[in-house]
Structure formats: C-alpha cells, structure tokens
Amino acid sequence: MKPASGLPLSGWLILDKPRGLGSTQGVSAVKRVLRQNGYARTKVGHGGTLDPLAQGVLPIALGEATKLAGRMLDASKIYEFTVRFGEETDTLDTQGDVVATSDVRPSLTEVEAVLPRFTGPIEQVPPAFSALKVGGQRAYDLARAGETVELKARSVTIHSLAIIRHPGAGRDPERQAENLDPLGPGLRRGDDELEEATLQAHVSKGTYIRSLARDIAYALGTVGHVTYLRRTKAGPFRQEQAISLDKLDEAAKGASLEYLLLPLEAGLDDIPALHLDQTSAQAVRQGRVLSDMPQSSGLYLAKLGNVPVALMEITDGMATVVRGFNLPDVAE
C-alpha cells in the first residue's frame, strides 16, 4: 500500500546501478517510478557519484534522508576493478582513445609485490576526464575540447588493496577445463605474464580508481586502463542490499515500495542514539540547545521513541542541533 498519510517517503533505496547509467539518471529513474506509481512528491538525491562506466552500490536518499546524502560523500567505499595491461586510454577506461601502449606484462608475483606501495596514505593525480573544476570549468569538458588538463595531486587513503577472485571466475566449466586459476581473467599462478588483473580496494573519499589503476600499471613498468568497475560498498550500504531498477519498478507496481526502503538511520549506523522525552524532543524541534547532558562529547542521533528527531552534537554537556528531521511521530 502507498503511505496512508500521503506523506513523502523518507529513507534509503540502495540501487544496483547498471553500467552505462549516470548517477543523476539513477535519481531520475527513481523519481519516475515514484511518480508513475502514485507516490507523493518526494525529494530524491544520491549519496555519491558513480561513473557511467561503473556499476554497483548507489545509495538513493528519499525525503528527509536527503539531508544526510552529503555524509555519504565522506564515507569510505569498496570497489572491485579490472586493470588491463598494455594500453592506456585518455579516459583511463574503455570509453577513451588509446594514448600509450607497452609490450610489458607483469607476473602475478610482481603485481602482488607492488600493491603495498599503494596501501595507506598516498598521493594521486585525478584523471583529466573527471568532474573536478579547473578555472570554473569541468575537467572533462576541457579534455573533450582537446585542451591539456593539469590537475594537482591529492592525498587519499587506500585502506586495503588485494587481488581478488573475479565475479563468476572459478564457476565457468570452460575456464576450469583450461586449468586457469580462478583469480580472474588473465590470471595464472607462477610467473606467467598477465593481460589483466582484478583487484579489490577499500578507499577513502576522493579516491579515483582509474588513477589507482594507471599508477599501479606505471609501477609495474607498463601502462593500463580500467575495463571493469563495481562498487560493492558505500559507507554502511552493501551490495547485498542493492536492488535493480527492474525490481524497483516491479515493487512499486505491486504497491510495496516502502518495504524496500531502509530507514533514515541506516545511513548513521556508526552514530549512537540519544533518546529524548516528549518535552526535550519538542525543544530540539524548535532548535533549542539542551544543557547538562551526561553523555560524552560527540555526534548523536536524537530520537523520540523510534522516530529520528535530529542529528545533534554534544560538547561539554551542551547538545546542539546539527540537522533536524521533519518526520511524523508514530507509536513505538
């Protein structure tokens, strides 16, 4: 059933974004599903851009959850990606033109040996084809116009980086018949040359996987580009929670879309709750400061029963509103 109150939905839909779809197109698709299936007009946003080439976890914020979408930009993320060695493209992925080639192919041992150099705090130069602004213009617009784009190196953190099993590898009878190692396309044990390697990276905000792939290839004495990219985790949201656009549309037609919705607080799983009574909840909704709080300093999710009221910061016993939520009270 549609919400009986006719109020907009609030919470998170975790979209399994297909390759070729932009993040803003994903938002538009969700808006269209809501509109076509009779839901109240709802504000919709996404929690972190995912390139059209990439697929996987795209958190879609609805209603009051859009107030938390910015927090997803600061969250760490996990990606699986395949680097093809021997060719570098201007976009550092399959959509660009080849700008450099190399006959050098690394061995599995060499790839494994170089990964620690890219683990921890590192400096990386973003791709020229990126949404960063240079002189007020998007870098990719300048690059497409044939201009030379020079971007400054930025500090990022690679929490972990490892060669992984490619999705589907090891289950293909033909690959098993060929006695290939199930680490992924092009990977064999020993010192055979690799055409490509599939990795998993847990990274901080601001990390460009295309740049990481480029730099790994350089460190191996060759060049490379990304042929496969999937985000498997964004902040607290995992690919197991993600749904396809087709499933989303089917659920909406069946009048059960709200059952796919994760609650607003799902995006705040690392923040402790601050339970309020009716009087203090009313004060918080009016933007007032709560004093003499016994909790330690830090960020809290203030709740009245099960209803999120506000994101609050407690400092030396004083609780101030960081972000208020306009959600109706419901029975516990």
Side-chain angles (χ1 to χ4, degrees):
M1 297 176 61
K2 306 295 187 292
S5 64
L7 294 173
L9 295 172
S10 284
W12 298 92
L13 279 172
I14 312 306
L15 192 65
D16 191 343
K17 189 189 82 65
R19 181 183 174 118
L21 187 77
S23 298
T24 55
Q25 291 175 302
V27 169
S28 297
V30 172
K31 287 181 177 179
R32 183 175 61 254
V33 168
L34 293 174
R35 183 175 62 251
Q36 291 177 345
N37 291 280
Y39 285 87
R41 185 178 180 86
T42 302
K43 188 174 182 179
V44 183
H46 66 76
T49 300
L50 198 54
D51 289 343
L53 169 73
Q55 54 188 280
V57 175
L58 179 64
I60 302 290
L62 279 68
E64 292 297 287
T66 58
K67 296 177 179 179
L68 300 175
R71 288 181 56 82
M72 288 298 107
L73 301 179
D74 294 332
S76 66
K77 301 171 178 68
I78 297 178
Y79 294 90
E80 295 177 359
F81 63 103
T82 299
V83 188
R84 179 167 296 160
F85 300 113
E87 290 185 340
E88 180 178 325
T89 66
D90 52 6
T91 59
L92 301 180
D93 58 27
T94 58
Q95 297 178 319
D97 297 324
V98 175
V99 294
T101 61
S102 172
D103 293 330
V104 175
R105 300 293 185 273
S107 68
L108 177 57
T109 301
E110 289 171 333
V111 175
E112 290 174 332
V114 83
L115 296 186
R117 292 169 53 181
F118 295 93
T119 305
I122 65 170
E123 295 284 317
Q124 70 168 202
V125 176
F129 283 81
S130 65
L132 296 176
K133 287 190 175 182
V134 179
Q137 292 184 274
R138 297 290 184 185
Y140 54 65
D141 288 331
L142 296 173
R144 286 170 185 158
E147 296 188 29
T148 300
V149 178
E150 295 185 3
L151 297 172
K152 295 181 179 179
R154 54 166 59 185
S155 298
V156 298
T157 299
I158 312 299
H159 301 294
S160 65
L161 179 63
I163 297 177
I164 63 164
R165 190 182 297 257
H166 190 282
R171 295 191 296 270
D172 186 336
E174 292 184 4
R175 290 186 62 79
Q176 291 175 348
E178 294 170 358
N179 293 318
L180 297 186
D181 188 88
L183 284 168
L187 288 181
R188 295 172 173 83
R189 287 293 179 186
D191 293 324
D192 293 343
E193 294 180 342
L194 307 182
E195 291 297 326
E196 54 188 41
T198 300
L199 312 174
Q200 182 185 75
H202 180 195
V203 303
S204 70
K205 69 171 184 177
T207 302
Y208 281 90
I209 297 298
R210 287 175 292 149
S211 292
L212 181 60
R214 173 200 63 201
D215 295 342
I216 289 172
Y218 286 171
L220 291 165
T222 184
V223 293
H225 66 281
V226 172
T227 61
Y228 165 84
L229 178 60
R230 179 174 181 82
R231 186 157 70 191
T232 60
K233 192 171 186 290
F237 302 120
R238 307 178 308 278
Q239 64 180 357
E240 293 81 8
Q241 298 169 297
I243 59 172
S244 66
L245 281 173
D246 288 343
K247 183 176 180 180
L248 176 65
D249 193 35
E250 290 174 6
K253 290 177 180 177
S256 60
L257 182 58
E258 57 269 33
Y259 299 113
L260 296 176
L261 204 65
L262 298 178
L264 176 149
E265 55 265 40
L268 301 169
D269 68 339
D270 58 340
I271 296 178
L274 175 64
H275 294 285
L276 306 176
D277 58 25
Q278 190 69 50
T279 301
S280 57
Q282 182 64 24
V284 168
R285 285 171 172 153
Q286 295 172 353
R288 289 155 54 188
V289 175
L290 302 182
S291 58
D292 299 324
M293 304 297 290
Q295 292 82 2
S296 58
S297 296
L299 199 60
Y300 290 82
L301 175 61
K303 303 175 72 174
L304 176 61
N306 292 327
V307 180
V309 175
L311 196 59
M312 303 192 74
E313 181 79 34
I314 295 181
T315 305
D316 297 331
M318 306 291 285
T320 57
V321 175
V322 175
R323 180 74 71 176
F325 304 118
N326 184 25
L327 295 170
D329 289 343
V330 293
E332 294 188 42

